[in-house]
Amino acid sequence: MKLLKISLLVIAVIAVTLGSTFYYLSATGVLGTSEAQAQQSDVEAAPPIKPVFLPLEPFTVTLRDNDSLSRILYVEITLRTSDEASKLYLEEYRPEVRNRVITALSSYSPDFLQTNDGRATLAQEIQLLLQEPYEPHPTQAKLTRVLFTAFVIQ
């Protein structure tokens, strides 16, 4: 009986020693990384994609109020594209880009543009307009955001 207790104790000590040694070696990477850990480290090692911005020259547009009063909108816009090719594409068609933006800006009332919803709607409309193809190119610019860096209504 005493021999059985001693042998069980020795087996338990060996099992605990082996388990802790295995845990230590796998945690420190001595045993190598598992496939899941290797994929996770690849994801962590990938550098973040740098944003590509295209600032446009400021816009000054006359807005018509409901009372037939003229108000002036001054806005600076920066476009965020998903890649350098889209930035170059938009720079190539800069006059058409500016025309589309001016047309969108002048179609809103000052009261609407002074609200957060109004500016969000305007940004979304500008993004959709600028993503449409430019003649004769059938490709679209990949815009991710339209950012207002200055927005003043007087």
Side-chain angles (χ1 to χ4, degrees):
M1 183 70 133
K2 193 171 191 179
L3 182 59
L4 181 60
K5 286 182 182 179
I6 292 174
S7 59
L8 285 176
L9 182 63
V10 169
I11 291 173
V13 169
I14 291 172
V16 169
T17 304
L18 287 174
S20 61
T21 303
F22 177 75
Y23 173 77
Y24 174 75
L25 293 176
S26 64
T28 58
V30 173
L31 291 178
T33 58
S34 68
E35 193 172 316
Q37 289 173 335
Q39 288 177 351
Q40 184 180 10
S41 67
D42 287 346
V43 170
E44 292 172 0
I49 298 173
K50 287 187 175 184
V52 179
F53 294 107
L54 174 61
L56 300 177
E57 294 174 18
F59 295 89
T60 305
V61 178
T62 303
L63 302 175
R64 294 281 177 205
D65 209 350
N66 291 338
D67 302 329
S68 298
L69 298 173
S70 293
R71 310 252 328 252
I72 302 295
L73 169 66
Y74 173 84
V75 63
E76 291 180 13
I77 297 175
T78 299
L79 305 175
R80 183 176 181 169
T81 63
S82 61
D83 55 14
E84 193 68 32
S86 292
K87 178 182 176 182
L88 295 173
Y89 178 71
L90 290 169
E91 284 177 339
E92 181 180 351
Y93 288 95
R94 188 178 294 263
E96 286 190 49
V97 167
R98 289 190 58 80
N99 180 58
R100 289 180 186 187
V101 171
I102 289 171
T103 303
L105 292 173
S106 61
S107 68
Y108 287 98
S109 73
D111 294 333
F112 182 68
L113 290 179
Q114 288 177 333
T115 66
N116 289 336
D117 288 339
R119 286 188 295 275
T121 302
L122 177 62
Q124 186 176 21
E125 181 183 344
I126 290 171
Q127 183 172 351
L128 291 174
L129 284 172
L130 296 183
Q131 285 178 330
E132 291 178 8
Y134 298 87
E135 294 292 330
H137 269 256
T139 59
Q140 293 181 319
K142 296 175 186 145
L143 282 177
T144 55
R145 292 210 45 205
V146 172
L147 306 167
F148 297 118
T149 53
F151 200 95
V152 179
I153 297 177
Q154 291 184 340

